[in-house]
Amino acid sequence: MIHKARYRSGSDTEFQTLSSHLFETGMLSEMFGRDIGLSKLALLMGFLHDLGKNCYSWQNYLEKNKSSERHSDKEDHATAGGQYLYRRLIDIDIREGRIVAEILAACIMYHHGQGLPDVVKSDGTPVLQKRLAKTEQETHCEESFANLDNDLKQTISDILNDDVFIPSAFERLISLSKIRKVKANRYFNLGFTARFLSSCLIDADRRSSADYDQNIPFDLKNALVKTDWKNLLNRLENYLLRFPQEGHINQIRRDISQNCASYAGREDGIYTLTAATGSGKTLAALRYALVHAAKYQKDRIFIIAPYTSILDQNADVIRSILDPDGENGSLILEHHSNLDVSEKSEYYTDASQTWNVPIVITTMVQFLEALFGYGTRKIRRMHQFANSVIIFDEVQTLPVSCTYLFTWALDYLCTNCKTSALLCTATQPGLDKIKSKDEEKPYKYALNLKPENEIVSDITKHFIALKRVELVDKTKQNGWSLTEVADFIDELPQNSILTVVNTKKQAQVLYKQLKEAHPDWHVIHLSDNMCPAHRKKYIGDRKNEGIIKQYIRDKSIKCVCVSTRLIEAGVDLDFDAAIRFFSGFDSVVQTAGRCNRNGNLRDEDGNPVAGKTYIINITKDEERVSSLKDLQLGQEIMSRILREYHVDEAQFDHTLLHPELISRYFSYYYGQLPESTLKYKIDSDTALNLLSENTDSVELYKAVASTKYGDKAIGLTEFCQSFETAWRNFEVISNDTVGVIVPYEYGKDIIGKLFASPDIAEVKALLMEAQQYSVNAYFNQLEKLQDKGVISAVPSSYGLKIFTLNEGYYDADIGVREESVLSGLFA
């Protein structure tokens, strides 16, 4: 009997044989597992992952449902392979066999659905053991293995009968875990290895299936991208030769770029590039990545940015140099949620699912979700970080709640997976200096950074040499009113002024005051109350320059931009002066980076002068940020920094942008945060604990098992994590909002088409386009917004919840109107 794995999509006759699918998945999985030295474990998983399809019951199920979109009476085909390996390897007296068996069984049994389970749930239930205890009638394990292809069976037997297999596999698992002398970290690393192996299997399984469906012959040699890094490096080097050679700033940029190239020759590790805004960090970091990839034959380069504004800018520059005529997803993948439909090429779908592309430019959200996100779609990408170079742009924007997950994960990748990382920013957050409350091991959560791995040799000298802006402390005891701020802007002699505020309410009030007082000025408002297409009209994108740049060039009319912090990073705008409402130091520095960005300001004699960025605090009545806890903490720490600066300004070379002050800020900031916050708090527990020792769940299991089973209770190994609970609750950005389509320009047409009851295919296409014409509203306010007649739900939308903003509630200048009935309802 020929056992089938699946039928080709749209066909009732063409099928992929199970033996070929198991073989292909095993070979691919083995290749992916080599980067962490676990190729044999990965091979076994691939050969046995669909073992349960190798029985009469499942084959009968396939035949009954081959023409049906919705499969009925779904049969479990994933448990059999896990059961078989577990039974072959298990010996409750031998810890080595237990751990290897449990990890392999978990990866195989949960390669569908949402990924690895809670090995032990919070109520003490041993989920993994319960599934392994399924009966032969439920899993058909013995029948399925008896029917297995003889060549596969022989290979599996050869591996399992090798006396050194278990000891060597266990030794490698333990070596992957020994990064720190901390018990919780060893448990975390073991679980992280399990996710890595799961990623290898999931990707291999999906690729074998997809290639068959697309009639692509199996070829292991073509499964990994091959890149001529030297050729790409030559393109970058030739591009860099076009830059002006004269001048002090250009010399500094060349030095940083050359230092990056020199450091790239060093072994894998974690490096830092602490350089001022405008020092050419983007191309210098790219040079590091290409030199390192060429020397050490890396598979991929990842460029991670915190915001899509930075990502768009970086992607444009990099693509123009390395692949000007290429499509998104061929050589370079730009992957984030805010892409235009036109930017999703024929390569994009596969590339965005697999990340099997030489250069991936994506967000910190996508990076963290590949490591900790819920679901096999996210887990699938994780193994691609192995044998790669990862560039983090503006690393100080790392979400605070993810701090310890990030430090432990990055240490794992760079210690075990042949990965190099470069942390780029003007304000290093000092992740290597974070102290825990444990006096014996105070730095057990800190990033393993070596001081000699900083590329800029003298950071203080560098910042002074590149000083193009001066921070001016204009805070006063009772704060400024918004009217006083408007008057201050009126008095400033500079032609273009950026004002970054803390809330959308402040932005709209100040904008209206300036607009009414100075109808002859160019006054611009920017906030998240404007849809992306609206904001791009002012800021610009890869296709259009943007109105603000045009206004700044027009020296005959004063230009004032009032913006929330969305303009702070990655927006290539150059104002003569800037104002930052009181906030954390990192935000202040980012605003300063939009002032005299290109160093063009001159005095009357033509000599270069620094631009000025003013720090202004707002009165309590008009600040109203009690719900913004992160901002409040940043303000408190910044107050301390200002006090320390004014005690002895000479100590800091009379500049608030001194690196020592920035270092102090982050040290104080992290020191004020509860450890549970840094460990990603989940109810009364933390993600870090759930993914490591899982103490509460383990203790509860021990109590329940002892009462229920007595001496026959199965003890737990280090593989005891609550993966599903941690991953299910992991959100880099809180998902408490829903997009509302607004009637701005083409958004009006989209709304009209949606209300015309199109078919489901057209609805989905319209929703893709609508991403550029949407703002976010809070889920818990939708009913109130509907009752007030502000938004409407689209009827007949095939079960999809689609909301639109009604006419009259969107302003061509400020977006969603911040009237009393709308205040606080939109995110």
Side-chain angles (χ1 to χ4, degrees):
M1 177 180 179
I2 298 176
H3 292 83
K4 304 167 185 175
R6 66 188 42 77
Y7 279 91
R8 181 168 279 140
S9 298
S11 173
D12 288 344
T13 58
E14 297 177 87
F15 60 86
Q16 183 182 26
T17 65
L18 182 58
S19 60
S20 64
H21 175 59
L22 294 177
F23 174 77
E24 291 173 11
T25 302
M27 298 304 291
L28 287 167
S29 184
E30 178 191 36
M31 182 172 65
F32 302 153
R34 287 174 193 163
D35 286 328
I36 59 168
L38 293 174
S39 57
K40 283 189 178 179
L41 296 190
L43 180 70
L44 284 174
M45 293 190 310
F47 280 177
L48 288 164
H49 77 289
D50 277 352
L51 180 65
K53 293 183 178 181
N54 220 21
C55 63
Y56 172 80
S57 177
W58 197 89
Q59 292 295 310
N60 184 50
Y61 155 79
L62 178 64
E63 294 303 319
K64 285 195 308 182
N65 293 282
K66 64 184 179 183
S67 301
S68 172
E69 290 186 5
R70 291 187 176 182
H71 288 190
S72 58
D73 303 321
K74 195 165 186 180
E75 293 224 358
D76 175 6
H77 69 270
T79 301
Q83 269 188 336
Y84 175 78
L85 279 176
Y86 187 77
R87 291 169 181 173
R88 283 293 308 269
L89 299 174
I90 188 63
D91 185 330
I92 60 173
D93 295 323
I94 301 177
R95 172 167 162 259
E96 289 89 337
R98 286 277 318 272
I99 291 177
V100 174
E102 287 170 350
I103 289 177
L104 290 177
C107 291
I108 289 173
M109 294 193 301
Y110 295 91
H111 72 275
H112 287 304
Q114 303 306 328
L116 297 175
D118 286 345
V119 180
V120 185
K121 290 183 71 68
S122 59
D123 62 1
T125 302
V127 175
L128 183 63
Q129 289 295 334
K130 288 188 72 173
R131 185 163 180 179
L132 283 167
K134 279 190 170 186
T135 65
E136 173 67 16
Q137 186 178 1
E138 293 174 293
T139 68
H140 309 282
C141 175
E142 294 178 13
E143 175 193 353
S144 296
F145 190 77
N147 293 333
L148 189 63
D149 174 87
N150 286 329
D151 289 338
L152 293 176
K153 194 182 295 185
Q154 185 62 53
T155 303
I156 293 167
S157 296
D158 289 344
I159 294 173
L160 298 181
N161 291 332
D162 185 346
D163 291 339
V164 301
F165 169 64
I166 287 292
S168 61
F170 176 77
E171 183 180 352
R172 181 56 185 158
L173 287 173
I174 296 304
S175 70
L176 289 168
S177 302
K178 287 184 177 179
I179 297 177
R180 302 164 187 260
K181 294 180 179 179
V182 178
K183 181 181 176 183
N185 182 249
R186 293 197 299 271
Y187 279 57
F188 175 89
N189 292 334
L190 188 70
F192 214 59
T193 300
R195 184 174 173 112
F196 189 98
L197 284 170
S198 180
S199 173
C200 295
L201 176 59
I202 292 165
D203 194 20
D205 177 35
R206 304 294 192 273
R207 287 204 209 184
S208 171
S209 302
D211 285 352
Y212 173 76
D213 220 33
Q214 298 169 38
N215 204 24
I216 300 173
F218 177 70
D219 187 348
L220 195 61
K221 293 179 181 178
N222 294 329
L224 280 180
V225 294
K226 294 179 178 62
T227 311
D228 186 347
W229 295 117
K230 289 184 178 180
N231 180 44
L232 296 180
L233 178 59
N234 287 336
R235 294 181 191 179
L236 175 62
E237 302 281 10
N238 290 333
Y239 180 84
L240 294 175
L241 291 175
R242 303 178 197 171
F243 283 92
Q245 303 297 305
E246 302 79 18
H248 180 58
I249 290 178
N250 289 327
Q251 180 60 52
I252 292 173
R253 289 170 175 164
R254 284 198 306 276
D255 290 344
I256 289 176
S257 178
Q258 187 56 49
N259 285 351
C260 281
S262 298
Y263 268 73
R266 300 188 181 189
E267 62 184 12
D268 292 336
I270 305 173
Y271 297 86
T272 53
L273 175 58
T274 309
T277 302
S279 59
K281 286 195 297 292
T282 299
L283 295 186
L286 179 62
R287 193 176 183 191
Y288 167 88
L290 289 172
V291 172
H292 193 75
K295 178 170 182 177
Y296 292 101
Q297 291 301 296
K298 299 300 182 183
D299 293 328
R300 267 164 295 280
I301 292 172
F302 288 90
I303 297 171
I304 313 296
Y307 312 120
T308 56
S309 56
I310 297 178
L311 194 150
D312 284 341
Q313 182 177 306
N314 288 349
D316 283 347
V317 171
I318 293 168
R319 186 178 288 113
S320 69
I321 299 168
L322 302 183
D323 191 31
D325 300 319
E327 294 188 76
N328 189 14
S330 52
L331 174 69
I332 299 170
L333 170 68
E334 181 181 350
H335 185 204
H336 56 87
S337 61
N338 207 30
L339 283 174
D340 288 330
V341 175
S342 62
E343 296 172 294
K344 297 182 178 181
S345 71
E346 61 175 304
Y347 305 98
Y348 177 82
T349 300
D350 179 69
S352 62
Q353 291 173 355
T354 65
W355 283 356
N356 189 31
V357 184
I359 300 175
V360 180
I361 306 175
T362 191
T363 61
M364 180 64 86
V365 172
Q366 296 280 4
F367 171 78
L368 290 170
E369 287 190 340
L371 299 178
F372 303 107
Y374 184 57
T376 52
R377 180 176 59 85
K378 295 171 183 175
I379 297 171
R380 178 182 184 180
R381 303 174 183 136
M382 177 187 172
H383 75 92
Q384 304 289 21
F385 294 128
N387 197 38
S388 71
V389 186
I390 309 178
I391 306 296
F392 295 95
D393 199 358
E394 305 296 353
V395 70
Q396 82 284 352
T397 59
L398 172 74
V400 168
S401 61
C402 301
T403 301
Y404 289 167
L405 292 174
F406 176 82
T407 57
W408 277 11
L410 193 59
D411 274 347
Y412 180 96
L413 291 174
C414 293
T415 302
N416 295 326
C417 304
K418 299 189 290 186
T419 302
S420 268
L422 181 62
L423 313 182
C424 305
T425 179
T427 53
Q428 286 291 348
L431 297 176
D432 57 324
K433 299 180 179 66
I434 299 175
K435 282 188 176 182
S436 72
K437 303 298 188 286
D438 186 340
E439 293 183 2
E440 292 185 7
K441 298 175 182 175
Y443 295 103
K444 63 183 180 181
Y445 301 118
L447 196 63
N448 185 22
L449 272 174
K450 300 175 182 177
E452 62 268 25
N453 283 12
E454 167 57 54
I455 291 177
V456 176
S457 57
D458 189 331
I459 296 174
T460 300
K461 181 179 178 181
H462 163 79
F463 273 80
I464 293 174
L466 264 176
K467 184 178 177 181
R468 285 163 298 168
V469 62
E470 176 186 355
L471 284 185
V472 182
D473 178 13
K474 298 289 288 185
T475 59
K476 54 186 181 182
Q477 186 172 358
N478 296 320
W480 296 60
S481 69
L482 293 178
T483 300
E484 289 174 324
V485 174
D487 292 340
F488 180 68
I489 292 171
D490 190 14
E491 295 168 3
L492 288 176
Q494 288 86 356
N495 192 70
S496 59
I497 302 163
L498 169 65
T499 303
V500 180
V501 302
N502 287 329
T503 68
K504 289 185 288 186
K505 182 70 174 178
Q506 291 171 343
Q508 292 202 359
V509 171
L510 184 58
Y511 167 80
K512 288 178 180 178
Q513 287 186 9
L514 292 169
K515 189 76 171 175
E516 290 172 3
H518 302 283
D520 54 328
W521 288 4
H522 292 310
V523 184
I524 304 109
H525 166 278
L526 290 173
S527 81
D528 288 328
N529 269 2
M530 303 159 69
C531 66
H534 195 172
R535 300 198 302 265
K536 285 181 180 179
K537 180 179 179 181
Y538 290 104
I539 297 174
D541 58 18
R542 66 192 59 183
K543 299 174 183 176
N544 302 295
E545 181 182 52
I547 291 174
I548 294 177
K549 278 192 177 180
Q550 298 171 23
Y551 286 168
I552 290 175
R553 279 201 304 270
D554 182 5
K555 301 299 183 183
S556 63
I557 301 176
K558 192 164 186 172
C559 170
V560 178
C561 177
V562 180
S563 175
T564 57
R565 64 174 301 177
L566 68 84
I567 202 173
E568 282 182 352
V571 178
D572 186 17
L573 294 172
D574 187 359
F575 293 87
D576 295 343
I579 297 169
R580 184 54 169 100
F581 282 19
F582 200 52
S583 64
F585 210 159
D586 51 336
S587 292
V588 172
V589 172
Q590 289 296 338
T591 298
R594 309 314 116 195
C595 176
N596 195 26
R597 184 176 179 85
N598 297 318
N600 293 328
L601 290 181
R602 298 288 187 273
D603 61 18
E604 294 179 355
D605 298 323
N607 299 312
V609 294
K612 291 187 177 181
T613 295
Y614 302 95
I615 305 172
I616 285 178
N617 60 328
I618 304 302
T619 62
K620 290 183 178 179
D621 291 341
E622 295 183 295
E623 183 74 312
R624 297 178 184 176
V625 293
S626 59
S627 62
L628 304 176
K629 301 302 181 185
D630 288 347
L631 173 64
Q632 285 186 308
L633 178 58
Q635 290 176 328
E636 291 173 13
I637 305 302
M638 192 60 187
S639 294
R640 180 177 177 179
I641 292 297
L642 291 178
R643 289 195 302 270
E644 292 181 3
Y645 170 71
H646 290 307
V647 167
D648 184 4
E649 296 183 13
Q651 177 187 352
F652 305 103
D653 300 310
H654 299 282
T655 175
L656 269 168
L657 285 171
H658 197 283
E660 171 59 24
L661 290 173
I662 295 171
S663 178
R664 287 188 189 187
Y665 171 83
F666 283 108
S667 177
Y668 298 156
Y669 184 84
Y670 285 115
Q672 289 291 318
L673 293 169
E675 285 204 337
S676 60
T677 298
L678 297 168
K679 294 177 179 178
Y680 199 101
K681 188 172 177 57
I682 296 176
D683 297 328
S684 60
D685 213 327
T686 68
L688 197 72
N689 179 57
L690 291 169
L691 295 174
S692 56
E693 293 179 276
N694 199 15
T695 49
D696 292 346
S697 302
V698 168
E699 288 304 314
L700 191 54
Y701 167 76
K702 288 178 180 178
V704 172
S706 177
T707 302
K708 192 171 183 179
Y709 303 110
D711 294 339
K712 294 182 180 180
I714 299 175
L716 295 173
T717 66
E718 293 94 323
F719 191 64
C720 57
Q721 294 79 5
S722 288
F723 295 109
E724 183 178 354
T725 298
W727 296 344
R728 187 187 289 273
N729 287 280
F730 182 78
E731 290 179 335
V732 183
I733 299 174
S734 179
N735 192 24
D736 58 353
T737 62
V738 60
V740 176
I741 306 169
V742 300
Y744 174 76
E745 294 185 350
Y746 183 57
K748 293 181 181 180
D749 295 336
I750 293 174
I751 293 171
K753 291 176 182 177
L754 285 170
F755 275 91
S757 301
D759 60 32
I760 184 62
E762 188 177 355
V763 168
K764 290 181 178 179
L766 287 168
L767 291 180
M768 291 293 293
E769 295 182 291
Q771 291 179 358
Q772 296 294 312
Y773 299 91
S774 299
V775 297
N776 289 326
Y778 291 107
F779 275 118
N780 59 6
Q781 300 295 343
L782 290 176
E783 187 174 343
K784 185 180 291 187
L785 287 168
Q786 286 179 281
D787 291 343
K788 292 181 178 293
V790 177
I791 66 172
S792 297
V794 176
S796 305
S797 54
Y798 302 92
L800 300 172
K801 293 183 179 181
I802 304 171
F803 299 94
T804 64
L805 189 72
N806 295 332
E807 289 282 352
Y809 287 98
Y810 197 86
D811 185 273
D813 292 325
I814 61 175
V816 178
R817 299 204 319 261
E818 189 73 58
E819 296 181 355
S820 58
V821 295
L822 305 181
S823 181
L825 301 184
F826 285 86

